[in-house]
Amino acid sequence: MAKLPILVAPDPVLKQVSQPVAEVTDELRRLMDDMLETMYAAPGIGLAAIQIGVAKRIIVIDLGKDKPGADDGGDAEKKKEKDPDPMYFVNPEIVWASDELVMCEEGCLSVPDLYEEVERPARVKVRYLDYHGKSQEIDCEGMLATCIQHEMDHLEGVLFIDHLSRLKREMMLKKLVKARKRESVG
Ligand code: NI
């Protein structure tokens, strides 16, 4: 596996619309492995292929899974630890969304260190191809619903800051450009 550089806004590549995948091949599985490694190293909980410059409709997510027995006592640190739970979504489509909306604070590896609340449907049903190219459906709520909708936006060239007011978005982009300049100076 290989760790790849993550594009940061306002990189124009992030505005591209990603293309559907024709078939889940070994090459594509390698790409998904690399995406997962890149996401873990960042660290992040979700990554779309376009964030590493590949305009394909692929997402990886890992929200972690509670360790068995984590709830029956033990020290607090142990409770926080989670087992890895990688999820792969190829050509994901929202086939149903709840009328109920929720506000959730979001961040993005392509908008580093900035967080804002975004309103989205509380629950969605998503159809996709899994790591092995098999068609699946999943009901998402809570963090997974927010995360998968955020990542699916990336496939349309949309960032979470595009859901905010123009003023707020421009302020955040300015901060990113400034941080980038500071980095390049030293
Ligand atoms: Ni993102």
Side-chain angles (χ1 to χ4, degrees):
M1 292 207 282
K3 205 188 120 200
L4 302 160
I6 295 174
L7 303 180
V8 170
D11 192 314
V13 172
L14 291 168
K15 306 304 284 178
Q16 279 183 29
V17 175
S18 294
Q19 297 307 306
V21 167
E23 196 191 344
V24 181
T25 57
D26 283 343
E27 191 190 344
L28 214 74
R29 275 186 279 272
R30 270 197 296 278
L31 173 66
M32 289 194 266
D33 294 342
D34 288 345
M35 284 172 63
L36 201 70
E37 185 179 341
T38 301
M39 181 188 84
Y40 285 150
I45 56 172
L47 189 78
I50 195 65
Q51 293 179 273
I52 52 162
V54 178
K56 290 190 166 133
R57 301 184 82 81
I58 305 171
I59 290 166
V60 294
I61 291 176
D62 191 337
L63 301 178
K65 191 163 51 188
D66 288 326
K67 282 184 185 294
D71 284 330
D72 25 281
D75 60 278
E77 273 310 300
K78 270 253 165 63
K79 273 188 200 168
K80 266 187 262 159
E81 278 175 34
K82 292 201 166 190
D83 280 330
D85 184 23
M87 303 172 88
Y88 309 85
F89 301 92
V90 178
N91 298 343
E93 269 174 88
I94 292 180
V95 293
W96 175 84
S98 65
D99 291 331
E100 187 200 338
L101 306 174
V102 282
M103 283 283 252
C104 231
E105 193 181 65
E106 296 187 21
C108 180
L109 294 175
S110 296
V111 187
D113 304 322
L114 298 176
Y115 304 87
E116 273 298 334
E117 289 207 314
V118 177
E119 191 175 48
R120 301 183 186 272
R123 293 179 306 282
V124 289
K125 186 192 274 281
V126 176
R127 186 177 299 150
Y128 63 100
L129 300 177
D130 67 13
Y131 191 79
H132 304 286
K134 198 170 157 232
S135 180
Q136 305 272 9
E137 269 186 18
I138 186 171
D139 291 308
C140 307
E141 58 178 355
M143 182 103 109
L144 181 57
T146 297
C147 190
I148 202 160
Q149 291 178 83
H150 171 118
E151 299 310 330
M152 285 181 69
D153 269 357
H154 277 298
L155 307 182
E156 307 303 329
V158 172
L159 299 173
F160 81 94
I161 54 173
D162 295 321
H163 291 279
L164 310 175
S165 70
R166 196 174 133 193
L167 189 73
K168 216 172 224 178
R169 178 167 57 251
E170 284 174 358
M171 221 170 64
M172 290 173 90
L173 286 171
K174 247 183 228 161
K175 276 189 196 164
L176 289 179
V177 172
K178 248 194 209 162
R180 164 85 20 127
K181 275 199 192 129
R182 260 203 310 277
E183 256 170 41
S184 62
V185 169

